[in-house]
Amino acid sequence: MFDAAVFGSLFLTLFVIMDPPGITPIFLALTSGRPAKVQRRMAWQAVAVAFGVITVFGLLGQQILDYLHVSVPALMIAGGLLLLLIALDLLTGKTDEPKQTKDVNVALVPLGMPLLAGPGAIVSVILAVQNADGPPQQAAVWGAIVAMHAVLWLTMRYSLVIIRLIKDGGVVLVTRLAGMMLSAIAVQLIINGVTLVVQGAS
């Protein structure tokens, strides 16, 4: 009652899109300076938010997009613009948000969504659920989703050790690197969204 091929295909797709190794420096940059307990809680919150969003869209994704009259390209462009704003803050070193508000925002946005549960992951899950034929393939799809989020949590949870090793100077360097990576991801999302709009109009 389990389709290993479907599991492997979706897991690898989500691994490439959600990119646990790539999320590590961004997570470190966004959570630096906070107590270890808060950082661990934020890792849980981010994964929980991502899993919740992915689950909702896996179950009701196409209906939600149709009801709101939102296209996939629009979702991609919006996600890209949101990430670009966060990337600019990381690059310029802005840290003037109230700490409590910042904690909540980092776990929900941009970590939970759109970094982890971004347009690419959402669309992949919607298609995988729609194409799954019968209980074995459905079980494989949801198994891959659960496994991927377990990997994301482990990656972020144990990346906290890195913060204690690289000290303050290293955190600043990682923050700038994360900002650069995040800005590139944001711009690519916007380009992909605009390209899909142009292709649809032609």
Side-chain angles (χ1 to χ4, degrees):
M1 294 295 291
F2 189 83
D3 193 317
V6 171
F7 174 90
S9 175
L10 181 58
F11 182 84
L12 288 176
T13 299
L14 291 177
F15 190 92
V16 171
I17 293 172
M18 300 176 98
D19 191 16
I23 207 71
T24 299
I26 298 171
F27 176 75
L28 293 177
L30 292 172
T31 61
S32 63
R34 294 174 172 81
K37 182 179 179 181
V38 174
Q39 291 171 326
R40 289 193 294 270
R41 187 178 73 241
M42 289 170 66
W44 267 115
Q45 288 175 336
V47 172
V49 168
F51 182 75
V53 171
I54 290 292
T55 300
V56 169
F57 275 94
L59 295 172
L60 304 168
Q62 196 58 57
Q63 293 92 323
I64 292 173
L65 294 180
D66 290 344
Y67 177 77
L68 296 175
H69 303 290
V70 173
S71 66
V72 171
L75 193 64
M76 296 176 76
I77 293 171
L81 290 173
L82 180 59
L83 288 183
L84 192 57
L85 290 175
I86 303 296
L88 291 175
D89 280 350
L90 291 177
L91 284 169
T92 56
K94 287 185 179 177
T95 56
D96 52 358
E97 283 185 275
K99 190 172 184 299
Q100 185 175 359
T101 303
K102 192 175 181 182
D103 284 350
V104 174
N105 284 346
V106 167
L108 304 180
V109 177
L111 280 175
M113 183 178 182
L115 267 178
L116 299 181
I122 288 172
V123 172
S124 297
V125 168
I126 290 174
L127 293 176
V129 171
Q130 288 178 348
N131 294 333
D133 186 19
Q137 292 191 3
Q138 287 285 350
V141 166
W142 291 104
I145 293 170
V146 171
M148 186 66 247
H149 284 81
V151 170
L152 285 168
W153 177 77
L154 287 171
T155 302
M156 289 191 290
R157 169 67 178 80
Y158 290 101
S159 68
L160 298 178
V161 178
I162 300 173
I163 287 183
R164 293 195 286 272
L165 296 177
I166 63 178
K167 308 298 183 185
D168 290 344
V171 168
V172 173
L173 178 63
V174 167
T175 300
R176 299 299 181 268
L177 174 64
M180 232 170 36
M181 291 170 55
L182 201 54
S183 62
I185 293 170
V187 171
Q188 188 61 56
L189 266 177
I190 295 170
I191 290 172
N192 292 347
V194 171
T195 300
L196 288 174
V197 170
V198 172
Q199 289 176 346
S202 60

